[in-house]
Amino acid sequence: MRKLLILFLAMALSAGLSAVSFAEILGSVHDFSRSTWSGGQICLPCHAPHNVATPVIPPLWNHAVTTATYTVYDSPTLDAGPLGQPSGSTLLCLSCHDGTVAVDSFGGAIGSTFISGPSNLGTDLSNDHPISFTYDTALATADGGLWDPVTTNVTIGSGGFSKTGTIQNVMLQNDQLQCASCHDVHNDFVAGGIGGDPLLLISKLSSEICLTCHNK
């Protein structure tokens, strides 16, 4: 039954949240089944098959959603700006990683376990890669230092968990760059991640992950 639930939620995530998730959460850093507050559940802290918490957000989102206001990245060389507030699946990631919502706030409960250390990004995102912006041919042309996401092919993932296609098809969500464009929330790729970094979809060795989008 648990395997069926995991498969169901994985399919829902693939359809409703991310074009790049490979849904291999068992044993990953987001496998909370060994945390006392999870009740031994793997999926429930983020997803529920029935009676999800409100507001109802695909894919059957069960975790409290942050209402924080963020200081976003800005630069005179940013052709995608000025940036708005984080949106889409990135807002779901920040619902733990901004440190304002407890990790165990799910199913309508108010938790008390907050994320800490480098994983807590806070609400000041001005020193982080810009996020939740439209990355399209027009931006690539205006910038001059970005690959055209419509025509540029990439391979993300590793081994049996890899996908190949255009940047637009396998990395973007509704043509926007989100956290899940570079990170797979469901997968550590077992042996330390790609390029030794957990959750990365593309190796950081030789700056490969940067050069996937940046034409330098």
Side-chain angles (χ1 to χ4, degrees):
M1 180 65 183
R2 190 177 73 173
K3 290 183 178 179
L4 288 175
L5 177 59
I6 292 172
L7 178 60
F8 169 76
L9 290 173
M11 292 173 65
L13 182 65
S14 178
L17 174 61
S18 172
V20 299
S21 179
F22 300 122
E24 187 69 24
I25 193 171
L26 294 173
S28 77
V29 295
H30 288 120
D31 177 358
F32 300 123
S33 60
R34 288 173 289 183
S35 300
T36 56
W37 48 262
S38 72
Q41 295 276 359
I42 296 175
C43 304
L44 197 62
C46 293
H47 310 283
H50 304 287
N51 301 316
V52 299
T54 55
V56 178
I57 301 173
L60 297 173
W61 193 249
N62 195 41
H63 196 276
V65 178
T66 181
T67 58
T69 299
Y70 299 90
T71 303
V72 298
Y73 180 85
D74 192 21
S75 167
T77 64
L78 182 67
D79 292 300
L83 299 180
Q85 290 292 297
S87 63
S89 64
T90 289
L91 203 59
L92 305 186
C93 299
L94 288 170
S95 292
C96 283
H97 287 278
D98 71 0
T100 70
V101 181
V103 179
D104 51 343
S105 290
F106 63 92
I110 299 176
S112 59
T113 303
F114 290 86
I115 203 165
S116 61
S119 297
N120 183 349
L121 300 177
T123 59
D124 184 354
L125 306 180
S126 61
N127 61 348
D128 298 288
H129 192 286
I131 206 71
S132 298
F133 65 88
T134 299
Y135 177 17
D136 55 13
T137 301
L139 176 62
T141 301
D143 185 273
L146 294 171
W147 296 109
D148 187 338
V150 177
T151 59
T152 303
N153 287 314
V154 297
T155 297
I156 61 174
S158 175
F161 299 102
S162 64
K163 290 183 179 180
T164 298
T166 64
I167 293 174
Q168 181 187 56
N169 288 337
V170 301
M171 296 185 68
L172 305 183
Q173 299 172 357
N174 297 321
D175 289 333
Q176 288 201 323
L177 189 81
Q178 304 286 9
C179 293
S181 298
C182 296
H183 303 279
D184 187 346
V185 297
H186 283 163
N187 205 323
D188 275 342
F189 297 102
V190 186
I194 295 179
D197 216 354
L199 303 182
L200 281 184
L201 286 162
I202 301 171
S203 174
K204 64 181 181 180
L205 299 177
S206 300
S207 298
E208 181 180 351
I209 191 168
C210 303
L211 296 174
T212 296
C213 297
H214 293 272
N215 179 12
K216 301 295 183 181

